[in-house]
Amino acid sequence: MNQSEMSAINQAAWNTGAYEAWVIENGTPAHLAATLEPEKILKRVLKHLGNLNGKKVANPLGSRGKAGVAMALLGANVTIFDLSESNKRYALELATAANVKLEYVVGDFMQLETQNDDFDVVLMELGILHWFMDLNALAKQVHGIMNTGGRFVVNDFHPIASKLLSKTQTQTLADRDYFDSSPHSGKVPYQGLIKIETPDCLTRCWTLGEIVTALAQNGFQIETLEETPGWGFDAKIPGLFTLVATAI
Ligand SMILES: C[S@@+](CC[C@H](N)C(=O)[O-])C[C@H]1O[C@@H](n2cnc3c(N)ncnc32)[C@H](O)[C@@H]1O
């Protein structure tokens, strides 16, 4: 399985019903725009992003555009890269309703031509690294779109929670294989919101060591690795991590 094959499978899944799911979850784009508070949407990463006013920001895998529009409202020039036309529709309607400009490029982020880009900040957040078959290639690709000295902020589910632990009604068990490197089939996260059946998608989860090493070996200086509780498990268990790195 290579990245192009994986992305084609995932594009078919994410093109099915995403717009409809976001309307069910967040209301229409106009409704979301009227209630969207940028600081609240970005609360997990805001302190790491710095002053966004006038900055050129990339938001790969930016989905329905919540973080992208929030950053645009704080003065950034934002470009989202994402596989899904259905997400693009919601994001652009959200940007129009919020009265901000948003660029949205549909396609596989790994196929993007990176020569002429010069982003100051790249934000990737919440359910992102497992869509990639090769983290070294991803780190190189992100580095390729950035200015030297630019900041890369990755906020994702902690591998302890996403790879190792499972939960029964009464117990948390460490009964999965943390080192499992095989791709897995599953459903898009919004399947439960809509009636139509989406095609299966394919993901490959990474250990924390693999994530940090991929950045450190592909042009980034690691500044911060923050581990915090998330959702689903109690506050004694790492649920999310935020990795901040500088492009060197
Ligand atoms: C779980 S969402 C990311 C969450 C999003 N940042 C948010 O907070 O709403 C995953 C997104 O990744 C996109 N995606 C998956 N693989 C991709 C790829 N190779 N290139 C570009 N986008 C991809 C999907 O279309 C989907 O919108």
Side-chain angles (χ1 to χ4, degrees), residues 13-25:
W14 280 94
N15 268 333
T16 309
Y19 181 92
E20 293 75 12
W22 306 142
V23 170
I24 290 166
E25 187 165 84

Side-chain angles (χ1 to χ4, degrees), residues 3 7 10-11 14 22 44 59-67 81-84 87 104 107-110 124-128 130-132 157 189:
Q3 184 66 49
S7 296
N10 292 333
Q11 188 163 37
W14 280 94
W22 306 142
R44 291 179 318 278
N59 182 207
L61 286 66
S63 190
R64 76 193 94 170
K66 270 163 93 170
F81 301 96
D82 197 284
L83 280 177
S84 166
N87 277 336
Y104 203 111
D108 180 358
F109 181 64
M110 297 309 295
M124 295 183 75
E125 47 125 42
L126 280 192
I128 36 147
H130 60 270
W131 301 104
F132 296 100
F157 298 109

Side-chain angles (χ1 to χ4, degrees), residues 14 20 24 31 36 40 55 70 72 75 87 103 136 139 141 160 172 183 201 203 215 217 223-224 227 229 231:
W14 280 94
E20 293 75 12
I24 290 166
H31 173 81
L36 189 147
K40 213 165 158 185
K55 294 277 167 60
N87 277 336
E103 294 290 325
N136 287 308
Q141 187 74 344
I160 293 283
T172 295
C201 53
T203 55
L215 266 63
Q217 293 189 346
E223 310 292 351
T224 305
E227 297 167 282
W231 308 278

